[in-house]
Amino acid sequence: MQKTLCKKKMKMKRSRSLSPKASSSEEDMKRIKFEEDKREDDIIYPHILDFSDDVLLNIFKFLNPKDLMAISLSCQRLARVAQDMTLWRRVDFRASPILLNDLKEYIRFLQPMTTSLAIRGNLFYENDAELSPCFFNSIKTTCTDLKELIIEEYRINGDKIQITDFPRTIEKLSLEGCKMGYLRSNKSYFFKMNFHMPNLTCLILSNCQWFTPHSLLVISKMPKLKELRLNSCHRLGECVAYTSLATRFGFKTLEILDLRDTALGDSEVGCFSCTKTLTHLYLEFPSSSRNTEPPEPEPRPLQRDAFNQLPVYEDENLAQFLVEDGFRWESYMFGRCLITDRVICALGSDTCDRRIINNSAEGVIVVEEDKRIFNKPLLKTLVVRNYPHVTNSSLMHLALNASSLEHLDVSGTSVTRQAVETFKSQRPNVQIITSFD
């Protein structure tokens, strides 16, 4: 009987030892090991909320504004860090178009210390591409120190939004690709801009088909304007009178001028030769008019209402004047848009006052020919592309007179390889780009 009991006890002990369930000491060891492994995983793969606010702030600096807005919706702490004012100094929303309904949500993230704001719309959306006066009021009220405003591919109602509705603190303004509607026929949209934005140094109006030549008179009055970009403004044709007045009495600080893909020719561009501060000039023949004959201008009758709208003068200078409705600008777009050696050889020179030779004949005044004085031009960059009437004469002139020239692009012109090599030997420090490269 005793032997039977002993055998049963031994079987019970053996069955316990062979049980798949671990003992208490083994469970403790596994729990410690699991916690250590978890601690190592936390170190290798930390959670974003484990970082301090300073670390999160440094990470968020690499995100664009739209990502910051998305993060702010995840939790209260990340929303608080994402709204830190240092992240909203320079705001660029141009990664994708913004519709007006979404624009309202984006504006609320702006801060008083926001100095730069860039937005891009989509002109294909008829109802969601026109900026409202509320938008300009919001940025003027919120961004009290705004220096840079970039608005691309939006519609602007010129009757509801005046140039005086823009923040007056702006130093750089870009309306690239925007469409302007309901403009007044006898008044430039930029009228009195020189009083409203006295600190403006850069104005970009690239691909603004509504820009008309008479606006040059107003823009030329800007006291600190250094950069003006009018490339692809196709209505800049046959405006020699306005350009002459603008360059004669204004543009005293202009350094960068972009006139690529416009209908300006020798007469208009030559007016800028008296701009002594010019350092960068960009000229390129319009791509849409290459290998095509310029259209013949069609006769256009004068409208009777035109005589009732008299020009407006300010400080004895023309400030407003009539622009006829229905004017066929397309007929004049590329009629005389050729640049030749004449204007290139005039860069960096002034025309002396011409002496009257004879005025005895009634109604006839005979004056002497133009005399030019070269004043050591400051021109550093000159781009004159795809003009067939720019020849070796321009290279010879620039080699002798453009002492400050650093970059020259004459690709697509009629300069020869030999003339280019001669220019390189005379001016080895100038980077020249040609069709032979």
Side-chain angles (χ1 to χ4, degrees):
M1 188 72 179
Q2 280 183 337
K3 288 182 180 180
T4 307
L5 289 174
C6 288
K7 287 181 180 179
K8 287 182 179 181
K9 287 181 180 180
M10 290 178 65
K11 286 181 180 179
M12 289 178 62
K13 285 183 181 180
R14 189 177 300 136
S15 62
R16 286 178 183 175
S17 63
L18 297 176
S19 174
K21 187 177 180 180
S23 63
S24 59
S25 59
E26 291 177 346
E27 287 181 354
D28 293 340
M29 292 296 294
K30 288 184 178 181
R31 189 181 302 111
I32 294 173
K33 189 175 186 306
F34 174 76
E35 290 178 354
E36 289 178 353
D37 293 341
K38 184 180 179 182
R39 215 174 287 123
E40 290 179 0
D41 291 340
D42 290 341
I43 295 174
I44 299 175
Y45 306 106
H47 195 275
I48 188 171
L49 294 178
D50 295 335
F51 294 122
S52 65
D53 288 355
D54 293 336
V55 174
L56 291 176
L57 191 60
N58 286 324
I59 295 174
F60 288 178
K61 287 180 180 179
F62 295 93
L63 302 180
N64 60 54
K66 289 188 177 181
D67 291 338
L68 288 176
M69 293 179 62
I71 285 179
S72 66
L73 300 176
S74 58
C75 69
Q76 292 183 353
R77 185 190 172 200
L78 294 181
R80 176 173 52 81
V81 178
Q83 292 179 0
D84 188 274
M85 61 180 63
T86 60
L87 298 175
W88 298 92
R89 283 197 180 116
R90 300 185 63 84
V91 184
D92 193 342
F93 288 117
R94 290 177 296 175
S96 59
I98 302 178
L99 301 182
L100 295 184
N101 293 333
D102 299 330
L103 191 59
K104 298 176 182 177
E105 296 295 325
Y106 287 27
I107 292 177
R108 66 185 181 88
F109 280 83
L110 302 180
Q111 304 286 342
M113 65 185 303
T114 300
T115 59
S116 176
L117 173 62
I119 58 175
R120 180 169 65 91
N122 192 334
L123 295 174
F124 290 102
Y125 293 92
E126 295 288 340
N127 299 326
D128 291 319
E130 183 175 301
L131 294 177
S132 62
C134 181
F135 165 75
F136 290 94
N137 291 331
S138 298
I139 60 176
K140 281 198 301 185
T141 305
T142 305
C143 309
T144 56
D145 195 29
L146 191 66
K147 304 296 184 184
E148 182 179 80
L149 179 60
I150 300 174
I151 301 175
E152 297 179 358
E153 299 182 27
Y154 278 100
R155 285 184 173 86
I156 299 176
N157 189 325
D159 188 39
K160 296 180 180 179
I161 301 171
Q162 306 294 326
I163 195 64
T164 52
D165 294 324
F166 287 73
R168 62 180 298 110
T169 57
I170 291 178
E171 296 179 1
K172 177 181 179 179
L173 175 62
S174 175
L175 299 176
E176 181 176 352
C178 289
K179 288 189 176 182
M180 191 78 65
Y182 302 97
L183 293 174
R184 299 183 183 180
S185 61
N186 66 333
K187 181 180 179 181
S188 169
Y189 184 75
F190 303 99
F191 183 56
K192 291 190 176 181
M193 185 182 185
N194 53 320
F195 299 112
H196 182 66
M197 299 180 185
N199 297 321
L200 190 71
T201 60
C202 177
L203 179 61
I204 300 176
L205 301 173
S206 305
N207 196 24
C208 289
Q209 306 303 329
W210 49 268
F211 183 82
T212 51
H214 70 284
S215 294
L216 286 174
L217 293 171
V218 182
I219 295 175
S220 66
K221 296 180 181 180
M222 301 301 299
K224 298 182 180 180
L225 187 65
K226 294 184 178 181
E227 181 176 353
L228 177 61
R229 297 192 178 271
L230 301 173
N231 51 302
S232 299
C233 292
H234 294 154
R235 296 184 70 175
L236 275 178
E238 286 303 307
C239 60
V240 61
Y242 313 126
T243 310
S244 178
L245 287 172
T247 54
R248 188 175 183 86
F249 301 104
F251 291 127
K252 300 301 182 182
T253 58
L254 188 63
E255 296 179 1
I256 301 174
L257 179 62
D258 192 346
L259 299 175
R260 291 173 296 172
D261 191 26
T262 63
L264 298 184
D266 277 353
S267 301
E268 295 84 8
V269 177
C271 296
F272 286 95
S273 63
C274 62
T275 307
K276 300 179 181 179
T277 57
L278 198 63
T279 58
H280 296 70
L281 178 60
Y282 301 90
L283 305 169
E284 185 171 359
F285 192 75
S287 58
S288 57
S289 65
R290 295 173 195 166
N291 302 323
T292 59
E293 292 294 331
E296 291 293 332
E298 298 181 6
R300 48 192 176 90
L302 291 176
Q303 300 178 359
R304 293 183 178 180
D305 295 340
F307 298 100
N308 298 326
Q309 301 185 23
L310 299 177
V312 178
Y313 289 85
E314 180 182 297
D315 299 331
E316 299 182 354
N317 291 324
L318 188 65
Q320 303 177 23
F321 67 100
L322 173 70
V323 177
E324 281 188 44
D325 293 331
F327 182 84
R328 295 186 63 83
W329 287 98
E330 62 273 12
S331 300
Y332 293 88
M333 280 172 54
F334 305 117
R336 296 178 61 187
C337 54
L338 288 179
I339 300 296
T340 67
D341 290 329
R342 183 168 68 90
V343 69
I344 303 299
C345 294
L347 294 176
S349 63
D350 282 336
T351 304
C352 302
D353 293 334
R354 294 181 289 178
R355 182 174 57 86
I356 297 177
I357 299 176
N358 185 7
N359 61 349
S360 58
E362 184 177 355
V364 178
I365 299 177
V366 181
V367 297
E368 62 183 0
E369 295 182 358
D370 287 349
K371 290 184 178 180
R372 291 186 174 271
I373 299 177
F374 293 93
N375 346 308
K376 295 182 180 179
L378 301 176
L379 197 64
K380 295 181 179 180
T381 299
L382 175 61
V383 175
V384 50
R385 293 170 55 90
N386 300 323
Y387 288 102
H389 294 288
V390 173
T391 66
N392 297 338
S393 299
S394 295
L395 281 182
M396 294 171 58
H397 168 79
L398 294 172
L400 295 174
N401 298 289
S403 56
S404 301
L405 194 64
E406 298 175 356
H407 178 87
L408 176 62
D409 187 348
V410 290
S411 54
T413 63
S414 297
V415 299
T416 62
R417 185 187 298 270
Q418 183 179 0
V420 171
E421 295 300 327
T422 303
F423 180 88
K424 290 180 178 180
S425 63
Q426 294 176 344
R427 301 294 301 275
N429 295 329
V430 177
Q431 180 187 7
I432 182 171
I433 300 176
T434 68
S435 300
F436 310 114
D437 298 336

